[in-house]
Amino acid sequence: MAHISIIGAGNMGQAITAALTRDDNVVDLLGKEDADKPVDGDIVVLAVPYPAVDQVLAQRPGQFDNKIVVDITNPLNFETFDSLAVPADSSAAEEIAAKLPNSRLLKAFNTTFAGTLAEGTVGPLTTTVLVAGDDADAKATLVGVVNASGLKAIDAGSLKRAREMEALGFLQISLASNEKVSWSGGFGIVD
Amino acid sequence: MAHISIIGAGNMGQAITAALTRDDNVVDLLGKEDADKPVDGDIVVLAVPYPAVDQVLAQRPGQFDNKIVVDITNPLNFETFDSLAVPADSSAAEEIAAKLPNSRLLKAFNTTFAGTLAEGTVGPLTTTVLVAGDDADAKATLVGVVNASGLKAIDAGSLKRAREMEALGFLQISLASNEKVSWSGGFGIVD
């Protein structure tokens, strides 16, 4: 059992809540109106769009210290829809990690559409969550929580792999936006 | 029916040959000993490792003009295994396209392991080939050839999307190298 705070009650925050409450976890889903509620979970999921992350960090100084913080963003350039809004040799996860030096930052949930997290399946496959990060214990904790929820989790390597995971997330959104895959489909993983 | 020349008789060249000969295509598989054999196909697949592409281009001046040329490479930095060997804001496909201004360059086959191309399946899914490129006719031709072979093909967008496809290929190789997925598995696509 884990105690998880999810900041952001949009479709991804709701889908991750649906997934993680299948197991016996305590999940606090914090929406915009909950800015004054504390972050009580040991794992904090930043389920807001990338441009909103800075505001969340400013609203909650020190609240992420010593916690496992999970970045789920796909930092698309929504003006051009043709690139990411972070430097090509970096990632949203690495940018956020630099702003939270006292947290254990992980990248996860950005390569799975909300529908596949809530359903637990991508077509005939169990939905698989890729988890990247530099803190092995934090990563093992999140992998365990995800596996216990009935999804599958795979350790995708160091936080640097967030670059490729964000590229994958971008490509998947691009395919769905162009109606090449549905929002309930996309990339599945066969192990 | 198409006439396809595949340069490089390694495991990827052989797997693409196996896939495309399921349909009624003419496929010339050219190995190292065939440097003096001409490129007769209308579609040419460069199935050599990225560092060997320049040598192939130098050996065959003008032979790729007016042809559909397919780059399948994953330009990993094999010393560090921690990054790609092309600039982060570019891709192997874009670098090769610049060297072949008279060809119609496509990116394809780099997100599917050899085993899944030869078998035609990734676990329970039909193997899906992503195809990116700036020439719509060339892309439609390759998509048609791949679909006719019993695999599925998806138009992944402009050649710029090769960046994300190469990130995906890199991530998939990294997962297999770390035994998180098998070389007969990896990413499948649910449409």
Side-chain angles (χ1 to χ4, degrees):
Chain A
M1 200 195 88
H3 189 172
I4 302 139
S5 295
I6 298 178
I7 300 178
N11 66 339
M12 282 299 288
Q14 291 177 43
I16 295 169
T17 301
L20 299 187
T21 50
R22 278 198 287 266
D23 190 33
D24 192 22
N25 296 307
V26 175
V27 180
D28 304 331
L29 182 59
L30 304 173
K32 278 186 185 158
E33 67 284 7
D34 301 316
D36 57 347
K37 287 194 187 159
V39 171
D40 291 329
D42 305 304
I43 301 173
V44 187
V45 179
L46 299 174
V48 296
Y50 182 64
V53 169
D54 278 348
Q55 190 185 346
V56 169
L57 301 193
Q59 277 175 344
R60 297 176 175 279
Q63 292 190 32
F64 303 109
D65 289 358
N66 307 312
K67 291 183 186 293
I68 298 171
V69 176
V70 185
D71 163 40
I72 74 161
T73 63
N74 280 307
L76 268 68
N77 181 331
F78 286 106
E79 287 180 15
T80 65
F81 228 80
D82 197 34
S83 65
L84 292 171
V86 290
D89 61 351
S90 183
S91 63
E94 288 163 291
E95 305 278 312
I96 295 170
K99 294 171 183 172
L100 291 175
N102 299 319
S103 304
R104 297 185 285 166
L105 208 289
L106 302 177
K107 184 88 199 183
F109 298 112
N110 76 300
T111 62
T112 42
F113 287 144
T116 70
L117 288 168
E119 285 294 322
T121 52
V122 189
L125 301 171
T126 300
T127 301
T128 299
V129 176
L130 295 172
V131 182
D134 292 333
D135 184 308
D137 288 343
K139 205 158 45 171
T141 298
L142 185 63
V143 165
V145 167
V146 170
N147 280 329
S149 75
L151 306 178
K152 287 204 285 191
I154 289 182
D155 177 352
S158 70
L159 195 63
K160 199 174 169 191
R161 291 291 77 73
R163 300 179 194 185
E164 288 75 39
M165 286 169 58
E166 293 174 15
L168 172 53
F170 169 28
L171 183 61
Q172 185 171 236
I173 290 169
S174 175
L175 292 173
S177 299
N178 289 298
E179 301 186 348
K180 303 299 182 182
V181 303
S182 82
W183 292 97
S184 59
F187 291 105
I189 299 181
V190 176
D191 57 13
Chain B
M1 200 196 84
H3 188 171
I4 302 140
S5 295
I6 298 179
I7 299 177
N11 67 338
M12 284 298 289
Q14 290 178 44
I16 295 168
T17 300
L20 299 186
T21 50
R22 278 197 289 268
D23 191 33
D24 193 21
N25 296 305
V26 175
V27 181
D28 304 330
L29 181 59
L30 304 173
K32 278 185 185 157
E33 67 284 7
D34 301 317
D36 56 346
K37 286 192 189 161
V39 170
D40 291 328
D42 305 305
I43 301 173
V44 186
V45 179
L46 298 174
V48 296
Y50 182 64
V53 169
D54 277 349
Q55 188 186 347
V56 169
L57 302 193
Q59 276 176 343
R60 297 175 173 282
Q63 292 191 30
F64 304 109
D65 287 0
N66 305 313
K67 292 184 186 289
I68 298 172
V69 176
V70 185
D71 163 38
I72 74 160
T73 63
N74 281 306
L76 268 68
N77 180 331
F78 286 105
E79 287 180 16
T80 66
F81 228 81
D82 197 36
S83 66
L84 293 172
V86 291
D89 61 349
S90 185
S91 63
E94 289 163 290
E95 305 279 312
I96 294 170
K99 294 171 183 172
L100 291 174
N102 299 320
S103 303
R104 298 185 284 165
L105 208 289
L106 302 177
K107 184 89 199 183
F109 298 111
N110 77 299
T111 63
T112 43
F113 287 143
T116 71
L117 288 167
E119 284 295 321
T121 53
V122 190
L125 302 170
T126 300
T127 301
T128 300
V129 175
L130 296 172
V131 183
D134 291 335
D135 184 307
D137 288 343
K139 205 158 44 171
T141 298
L142 184 62
V143 165
V145 167
V146 171
N147 281 328
S149 75
L151 306 178
K152 287 205 285 192
I154 291 181
D155 177 351
S158 71
L159 196 63
K160 200 175 168 189
R161 289 291 76 74
R163 300 179 194 186
E164 288 75 38
M165 287 169 58
E166 291 175 15
L168 171 53
F170 169 28
L171 183 61
Q172 185 171 236
I173 290 169
S174 175
L175 293 174
S177 300
N178 289 297
E179 301 185 350
K180 303 300 182 182
V181 302
S182 80
W183 293 98
S184 59
F187 291 105
I189 300 182
V190 176
D191 55 15

